[in-house]
Amino acid sequence: MADPITTALIVASTVVTGAGQIQSGRAADKAARYEARQLERQSKREFAAGTREQAEIKRQGEMLESNVRAQMAGSGGVTDDPGSVNTIGELGRDIEYNALAAMYDAASRAQGRRQQAHARRVEGANARAASQWRALGTVLSGGAESIKSYKAN
């Protein structure tokens, strides 16, 4: 028959180690979920910044277009002849392109942050599941060790 103190210590050690492994997985999952929330907040900030940048590009473009019209008119030209209309049209097209490009870039960055957040959540869930499997392995191993210790004496 095994020493009861040795058997109790093996069982206690097994339980404590298993519980520690589970807690470690829970902590990793909690940290991953926190980081995911931070990434989602960054995503929203990225998108908002892109919206502001787009608005600013359009505002500056409208001012530029107005200045071009004023210079054309001020130099004795007209703003409704085909050449002027073409120039102003190209300017408007470039302004719109730049504004849309700024928004696209912001949306792409925001989407990247959301994907990172999702990946962190998956990592956290995997860490939690892995810790539970490690704990189960520890408990089974400790149980086998205590039985072996019991039979040895």
Side-chain angles (χ1 to χ4, degrees):
M1 179 128 181
D3 176 21
I5 294 176
T6 302
T7 302
L9 288 174
I10 291 171
V11 169
S13 171
T14 299
V15 169
V16 168
T17 302
Q21 289 170 335
I22 289 173
Q23 186 56 36
S24 172
R26 286 180 181 161
D29 186 34
K30 186 176 180 178
R33 284 185 283 125
Y34 175 79
E35 187 177 339
R37 285 191 303 274
Q38 295 299 334
L39 287 166
E40 285 175 346
R41 285 185 187 112
Q42 288 176 359
S43 167
K44 290 176 183 176
R45 285 192 298 269
E46 293 272 359
F47 192 79
T51 302
R52 288 188 303 274
E53 183 180 359
Q54 179 185 35
E56 181 61 18
I57 288 170
K58 283 186 174 187
R59 186 188 70 76
Q60 289 179 0
E62 289 168 0
M63 286 177 34
L64 179 62
E65 187 176 322
S66 176
N67 290 340
V68 167
R69 285 181 191 272
Q71 287 177 355
M72 284 179 176
S75 64
V78 291
T79 60
D80 59 356
D81 73 340
S84 298
V85 170
N86 188 37
T87 299
I88 293 170
E90 287 177 4
L91 180 61
R93 183 195 66 217
D94 291 346
I95 292 165
E96 186 63 22
Y97 174 82
N98 290 339
L100 291 172
M103 197 63 230
Y104 176 80
D105 288 345
S108 294
R109 288 189 306 270
Q111 179 62 26
R113 297 282 189 221
R114 286 190 298 273
Q115 289 172 341
Q116 286 176 322
H118 175 72
R120 286 300 293 140
R121 281 194 184 89
V122 169
E123 289 172 13
N126 288 344
R128 179 176 230 161
S131 73
Q132 292 168 346
W133 285 107
R134 280 192 311 273
L136 178 61
T138 298
V139 168
L140 293 175
S141 175
E145 188 178 332
S146 63
I147 289 171
K148 190 161 84 172
S149 171
Y150 179 77
K151 287 183 177 181
N153 294 331

